[in-house]
Amino acid sequence: MTDHPAVGLIGLGAFGRLAASHLAPHLDLLAHDPAVTALDGVTLVPLAEAAARPVVILAVPVQSLADVCRGIAPYIQPGALVMDVASVKLEPMAAMREALPEGTRILGTHPLFGPQSAADGLEGQSIVLCPEPGVDPSCVAHFLRDDLRLDVHLSDADTHDRTMASVQALTHLVSKVITDLDLPTAPYTTRSYDLLTQAAELVAGDSDALFRAIEGHNPHAADLRARFFQAARALDARLEQG
């Protein structure tokens, strides 16, 4: 990226606000969210103005991504680079390709952090870039590495979703189960217990929409989830048999 590139950010939910706070010092950033009327340090503009920038970031839930893409399509400039930040990649990238004008460059991204895990800063946090064939992600990757100090990984969308089925869908599932048990505070613990509860605490503040996106919009998650519950039932049966 060049000095102070013009970027539009659409969506100022929990992650969009986090992104805005870290991007605004480095970029000429304009943001839009119909539910937000003011945000310190961020210039808010109408949808058309944010969508007309040469780089557009869609920080919206995967469930609404297709509708947002259809809404911004008339304003996207020829050759614009459009990025999403969804936790899955195959479905969002297909939705962007279907709705956005021909010639739009699409770069799927997945920041592997959120407001809780990045509470102490972005340095060392990981992000995955999934460019469409023919899209060069090098400028974005350099900016993320050099300016935001992120650990950048390149992948195709299918490999990303297969990896996230275990890395994210399974761990979030286990963490949600632990949270739903509502265990009392223990007067003494083991290291393994501490690690489990820390994992549960990291996702406890995630929205239900995010959890459903991770589990329901990853085409590889359902099979792994079925295998997990099958293994749990088999283990329970072994214990019942003594």
Side-chain angles (χ1 to χ4, degrees), residues 186-211:
Y188 30 80
T189 64
T190 63
R191 179 60 176 157
S192 58
Y193 180 86
D194 292 340
L195 292 172
L196 280 174
T197 55
Q198 287 170 19
E201 288 168 359
L202 279 175
V203 303
D206 290 347
S207 67
D208 187 62
L210 175 59
F211 180 64

Side-chain angles (χ1 to χ4, degrees), residues 27-38:
L27 308 172
D28 176 14
L29 184 70
L30 299 180
H32 173 81
D33 190 315
V36 178
T37 58

Side-chain angles (χ1 to χ4, degrees), residues 2 5 23 31 37 39-40 43 45 48 50 54 56 66 80 90 148 168 176 179 188-189 211 217 232-233 237:
T2 58
L23 294 176
T37 58
L39 186 62
D40 288 345
T43 302
V45 297
V56 180
L90 283 167
L148 299 187
Q168 193 169 46
K176 284 291 186 182
T179 299
Y188 30 80
T189 64
F211 180 64
H217 292 269
R233 286 191 294 269

